[in-house]
Amino acid sequence: MNDAAPAPTPAPAPRKRARVRAPELIGKGGWINTGGKDLKLADFRGRTLILDFWTFCCINCLHVLDELRELEEKHRDTVVIIGVHSPKFVHEADHQAVVDAVERYQVHHPVLDDPELATWKQYAVRAWPTLVVIDPEGYIVGQHAGEGHAHAIAKLVEELEAEHSAKGTLRRGDGPYVPPEPEATDLRFPGKALVLPGSDTFLVSDSTRHQLVELAADGETVVRRIGDDQFKEPQGLALLPDGRVIVADTVNHALRVFDPETGEVVRVAGTGKQWWQGSPTSGPALEVDLSSPWDVAWWQGKVWIAMAGVHQLWTYDPESGTVEVAAGTTQEGLVDGPAAEAWFAQPSGLAAGAERLWVADSENSALRYVEREDSGYVVRTAVGTGLFDFGHRDGEAGQALLQHPLGVTVLPDGSVAVSDTYNHALRRYDPASGEVTTLATDLREPSDAVLVGDDIVVVESARHRLTRLRLPESAVRVDAVAHRTQRAATEVAPGALRLDVVFQAPSGQKLDTRYGPSTRLIVSSTPAELLVSGEGTGTDLSRDLTLNPSVAEGVLHVSAMAASCDDDPANEYPACHVHQQDWGVPVRLTAGAASRLPLVLAGLDG
């Protein structure tokens, strides 16, 4: 008998990774959620650091914040998440607006306010959201763009914990997060509102506190609060013909109905899971996934849904109990035409008129509408030109500018009031004259407005209140300003351009090819003539494009998806995950510039 202890099984060798030294963290706006302390990269040595490049207008960024919460809690003593706020809109470069957004979306980690995109440029980021993983020794070991990467990052974090624990380079302990002092207000970042019939009270979605609040006719006195644990960041509200209220339960990816008489709240659509590419787009309402429904409106016998998370409009039919896509392709941008071919960019506000459904298309800084023709529903644009142009300019609608509007309200004369959120203004579009004017300024992030007699009551989201205004007879004069997103254009050579979407399956996984190709790539451009060839849909994540040398600049729209599954032959039902991202890449054609455009979906560009 051999009493000697068996030799220990050697630990598997850590996977070899590229080692790229992480640049310093720089942001002119300073730090939030640190108790006033400025942080440097060296402060995180010994911890795994995850940089989340985000901007608060971006619905995909908000999805990623939610994706990371479980990982953040589970690895609190070894992982630090740092939000790097990188603005798209001018308003998002305002430090107080970033502070508000950090509270509004319950960001429980430090945030670096980078209004000039200094750190964004240092890390060569090309899209919101992008996640960069830095190991305990200060080297970049992973980059992921878009949504659906939490499982892959969790796996990488576990590998880094084991590797650096063995090396003695892992440091455990509390992180640098310091929560802000709570403020006592009756509402906290309210989203939408309506007047309850028969009572003249207001029902408000109190988004950050995850409730509905009924206010008295004065718009201030709290009558009751609804939904202790049912809602999660609710937004849109709409009256149904029977007097009940349908609610866009945004972060729960669901619709619920509230009965003001009984106080009962019932889920009527959505499973609670987020919709992903390949999921059903119609069917029994309680069996189909939704994605961040932001507003709802009753129009033409159905509930129309601004499905911000997938850049579409859907409908819910209470009679049949079904949902289906009504407009939009899931591609992000501004394209008019038949509903099934139209593009939206985070539609966030709806208002039903007699003949038109008005849409606040926030990321396009646009006012759009849906109307019915003999051939079916069509989508048209009243104000706005696309993803990258915004501002505050009145006048003829074709040249007028908005900045990330979230709400729209039909006025008695058939014109439309727009809650022009990032301009802190209430605007008006008159279909009869084709003119845009300004009704009121000095509002703080207005997100909705409700008509009450001759008054209009505005939801001032960032002032946490309802504000009553008399509908003005004349417009307010405002000096015109126009902006383009401050993201620098990528210089590329005219002619042949190799587009490479970089995707490396997470450790322990492989591309899922059981049912055919597991990747998809869609490419288009604005203007359309920028692309001579290479447009369209395919399964290869690399593609040869030809750029028109006579077009000086434009935007390449790239949408990529990859599905990976656990690489275990013994497992008949491996866990699978979808990774996806849409890029809008501003490009400038320059002789002698790069002839390859790499976009990292997951991994590192070799």
Side-chain angles (χ1 to χ4, degrees):
M1 181 175 179
N2 186 354
D3 292 329
T9 302
R15 186 170 52 153
K16 189 172 182 179
R17 301 186 186 89
R19 289 172 66 83
V20 180
R21 177 64 72 180
E24 188 53 83
L25 304 177
I26 305 167
K28 189 175 180 180
W31 289 87
I32 303 166
N33 279 356
T34 65
K37 182 180 178 181
D38 290 337
L39 301 175
K40 298 292 184 184
L41 202 60
D43 295 329
F44 309 108
R45 195 60 54 86
R47 314 289 286 275
T48 296
L49 181 62
I50 301 172
L51 302 182
D52 176 12
F53 289 86
W54 71 299
T55 188
F56 64 78
C57 71
C58 163
I59 190 67
N60 311 91
C61 300
L62 304 186
H63 289 166
V64 167
L65 283 174
D66 288 327
E67 287 179 8
L68 293 176
R69 294 190 199 279
E70 182 179 347
L71 182 148
E72 187 171 25
E73 182 59 37
K74 183 177 180 181
H75 298 275
R76 184 167 294 280
D77 64 335
T78 61
V79 172
V80 176
I81 297 176
I82 297 293
V84 182
H85 188 269
S86 313
K88 171 186 173 181
F89 291 100
V90 169
H91 171 60
E92 293 172 318
D94 172 28
H95 181 70
Q96 185 56 50
V98 182
V99 172
D100 287 345
V102 167
E103 181 191 351
R104 180 194 297 266
Y105 298 116
Q106 299 166 72
V107 180
H108 294 159
H109 50 248
V111 172
L112 175 63
D113 181 10
D114 182 19
E116 297 178 346
L117 302 181
T119 297
W120 166 287
K121 294 170 186 173
Q122 285 275 78
Y123 281 81
V125 174
R126 296 185 186 275
W128 297 279
T130 292
L131 299 167
V132 176
V133 182
I134 301 171
D135 74 11
E137 293 181 291
Y139 290 91
I140 298 173
V141 293
Q143 183 170 327
H144 303 76
E147 302 178 49
H149 301 293
H151 70 285
I153 293 175
K155 179 72 173 176
L156 178 55
V157 163
E158 291 170 0
E159 291 179 356
L160 291 171
E161 282 185 358
E163 177 183 336
H164 288 273
S165 180
K167 289 175 66 176
T169 50
L170 185 71
R171 176 171 58 88
R172 296 178 181 271
D174 293 333
Y177 168 64
V178 178
E181 289 293 326
E183 294 188 38
T185 55
D186 288 328
L187 301 174
R188 205 70 192 162
F189 299 105
K192 309 288 186 180
L194 55 73
V195 176
L196 289 173
S199 65
D200 294 330
T201 60
F202 295 94
L203 188 67
V204 184
S205 55
D206 195 17
S207 302
T208 299
R209 294 210 176 110
H210 315 296
Q211 293 179 327
L212 307 182
V213 177
E214 185 177 356
L215 298 177
D218 61 9
E220 297 179 4
T221 305
V222 175
V223 176
R224 59 175 163 166
R225 297 183 179 274
I226 301 107
D228 289 336
D229 56 7
Q230 291 141 313
F231 298 109
K232 194 168 183 182
E233 295 183 32
Q235 288 285 342
L237 308 168
L239 281 172
L240 297 174
D242 62 8
R244 296 182 302 160
V245 178
I246 192 156
V247 184
D249 193 5
T250 304
V251 175
N252 277 328
H253 309 294
L255 301 184
R256 299 185 192 274
V257 167
F258 163 62
D259 188 335
E261 293 294 326
T262 65
E264 183 183 33
V265 177
V266 179
R267 178 170 58 91
V268 295
T271 64
K273 297 179 181 178
Q274 183 183 338
W275 186 94
W276 288 93
Q277 291 287 353
S279 300
T281 56
S282 64
L286 290 170
E287 299 175 15
V288 177
D289 298 338
L290 308 180
S291 182
S292 297
W294 206 275
D295 203 5
V296 282
W298 179 260
W299 188 59
Q300 297 201 345
K302 293 182 180 180
V303 175
W304 286 68
I305 310 163
M307 202 72 76
V310 286
H311 317 298
Q312 291 180 313
L313 304 181
W314 288 40
T315 59
Y316 162 64
D317 185 347
E319 187 171 334
S320 64
T322 57
V323 293
E324 63 180 348
V325 173
T329 66
T330 75
Q331 291 290 97
E332 185 178 14
L334 194 154
V335 175
D336 289 341
E341 301 171 15
W343 292 20
F344 294 92
Q346 213 168 298
S348 301
L350 299 176
E355 303 296 330
R356 293 175 174 175
L357 178 72
W358 295 95
V359 183
D361 199 15
S362 63
E363 281 292 289
N364 277 323
S365 295
L367 175 64
R368 317 278 296 279
Y369 60 90
V370 181
E371 60 184 358
R372 186 158 202 152
E373 296 186 344
D374 291 342
S375 58
Y377 290 112
V378 295
V379 176
R380 294 193 170 90
T381 299
V383 183
T385 59
L387 287 166
F388 298 100
D389 294 293
F390 55 91
H392 191 148
R393 186 163 63 198
D394 288 331
E396 191 273 321
Q399 56 84 53
L401 293 172
L402 308 169
Q403 186 178 179
H404 197 79
L406 291 179
V408 61
T409 308
V410 177
L411 300 178
D413 63 357
S415 65
V416 180
V418 180
S419 296
D420 193 6
T421 309
Y422 287 3
N423 279 327
H424 310 298
L426 190 67
R427 313 285 294 283
R428 176 178 178 265
Y429 167 67
D430 184 356
S433 67
E435 293 288 312
V436 174
T437 54
T438 297
L439 298 178
T441 58
D442 299 321
L443 302 166
R444 187 69 182 172
E445 292 192 17
S447 55
D448 197 17
V450 183
L451 280 173
V452 181
D454 293 330
D455 296 340
I456 190 163
V457 177
V458 180
V459 180
E460 279 199 272
S461 189
R463 283 200 177 112
H464 320 293
R465 71 187 189 192
L466 304 187
T467 299
R468 185 181 293 261
L469 305 172
R470 179 55 53 97
L471 269 175
E473 295 181 2
S474 60
V476 176
R477 178 172 173 76
V478 177
D479 291 335
V481 291
H483 303 286
R484 295 210 86 200
T485 180
Q486 59 176 311
R487 284 176 60 191
T490 299
E491 293 196 348
V492 294
L497 177 69
R498 178 70 171 179
L499 172 65
D500 288 325
V501 173
V502 177
F503 178 76
Q504 296 160 4
S507 176
Q509 295 190 5
K510 64 179 180 179
L511 288 173
D512 178 18
T513 56
R514 292 171 300 161
Y515 308 108
S518 60
T519 55
R520 186 187 69 176
L521 180 66
I522 305 173
V523 181
S524 61
S525 68
T526 303
E529 54 268 23
L530 172 64
L531 273 176
V532 176
S533 66
E535 183 181 21
T537 302
T539 58
D540 194 338
L541 290 180
S542 293
R543 189 176 301 178
D544 290 318
L545 311 179
T546 305
L547 304 185
N548 186 344
S550 65
V551 178
E553 60 182 14
V555 178
L556 288 175
H557 302 281
V558 180
S559 178
M561 184 274 289
S564 62
C565 295
D566 291 343
D567 187 8
D568 182 2
N571 186 354
E572 185 178 357
Y573 303 104
C576 297
H577 305 274
V578 175
H579 317 253
Q580 65 183 47
Q581 171 63 0
D582 296 333
W583 291 268
V585 183
V587 295
R588 181 179 299 113
L589 274 58
T590 306
S595 59
R596 176 177 178 265
L597 177 62
L599 300 175
V600 176
L601 179 59
L604 292 173
D605 180 25

